[in-house]
Amino acid sequence: MTRTYPDEPAEEFPQPPRTITDREDRSIDVIPADDADTESLVEMYLDFDPADRAQGIPPVKEEAIREWLDTILNGDCVNVVAKHDDTVAGHATLVPDNEDEHELAIFVLQAYQGAGIGTALVETLLGQGQSKGIDHVWLTVERWNDPAISLYEKVGFEISSAESFEIEMAIRI
């Protein structure tokens, strides 16, 4: 399948590390995932609300979470995490596919949603991707997930396909 990407690349995005103040007045550090503690990521995913899972990720059981993290934290994936004090509040990843394109996935703990952390994660992840020479990023989102769609559009994603219950969006970075 050939994806449609915007003609023009997006602006330059911020790179990690960076610190933001979210809408709840919390100081959030957005850092490369390799600077974070894997155990903190496992804890985040064990606490993750099952209602926020899509397409089977993140996994539910601890062993499956660890295997999944081993896969995406190593190799050619790009990862950033959002930390509030000692808590990993969110994680975003770019996973290469077989088309020299990267799929974006983002996860924010329910207690931290709606505070601007997702936007900071996506922007910083795209900045990290730009620094590594990545230029085509896509994602899928359930068509009823208006907050996520708004976030993606705000950072520059455009709808490339809306033929099923999921919308595919793409950005050139």
Side-chain angles (χ1 to χ4, degrees):
M1 174 182 117
T2 303
R3 284 190 183 83
T4 306
Y5 286 89
D7 292 333
E8 296 297 318
E11 62 195 52
E12 192 167 319
F13 290 100
Q15 293 184 28
R18 69 189 274 230
T19 300
I20 64 146
T21 300
D22 75 1
R23 287 189 204 101
E24 302 291 324
D25 207 31
R26 297 174 289 210
S27 179
I28 306 293
D29 295 318
V30 184
I31 60 173
D34 53 2
D35 292 347
D37 175 14
T38 301
E39 291 306 310
S40 297
L41 265 172
V42 171
E43 285 177 35
M44 180 193 114
Y45 284 117
L46 287 171
D47 291 343
F48 202 75
D49 186 342
D52 289 339
R53 297 177 197 273
Q55 302 166 330
I57 58 171
V60 177
K61 296 189 183 321
E62 183 172 347
E63 183 178 336
I65 290 168
R66 289 182 182 282
E67 288 174 11
W68 177 66
L69 287 172
D70 281 347
T71 300
I72 64 171
L73 294 177
N74 298 305
D76 297 331
C77 297
V78 177
N79 294 272
V80 295
V81 297
K83 288 189 79 170
H84 173 238
D85 298 328
D86 291 331
T87 300
V88 174
H91 171 219
T93 184
L94 291 175
V95 179
D97 65 16
N98 59 3
E99 303 284 329
D100 198 29
E101 300 169 346
H102 286 71
E103 182 177 10
L104 184 147
I106 178 173
F107 309 94
V108 178
L109 282 177
Q110 191 170 20
Y112 291 89
Q113 291 177 5
I117 296 169
T119 300
L121 271 169
V122 170
E123 290 173 343
T124 309
L125 179 67
L126 293 174
Q128 184 82 332
Q130 285 172 325
S131 75
K132 295 184 178 294
I134 293 169
D135 54 10
H136 291 88
V137 177
W138 64 278
L139 59 87
T140 57
V141 59
E142 293 163 333
R143 70 172 53 252
W144 51 84
N145 191 344
D146 293 331
I149 293 167
S150 294
L151 179 157
Y152 301 137
E153 288 177 336
K154 180 167 64 172
V155 300
F157 279 86
E158 295 179 7
I159 294 174
S160 58
S161 174
E163 296 176 10
S164 69
F165 70 94
E166 291 183 324
I167 294 172
E168 186 173 284
M169 302 179 81
I171 190 171
R172 185 182 307 265
I173 56 173

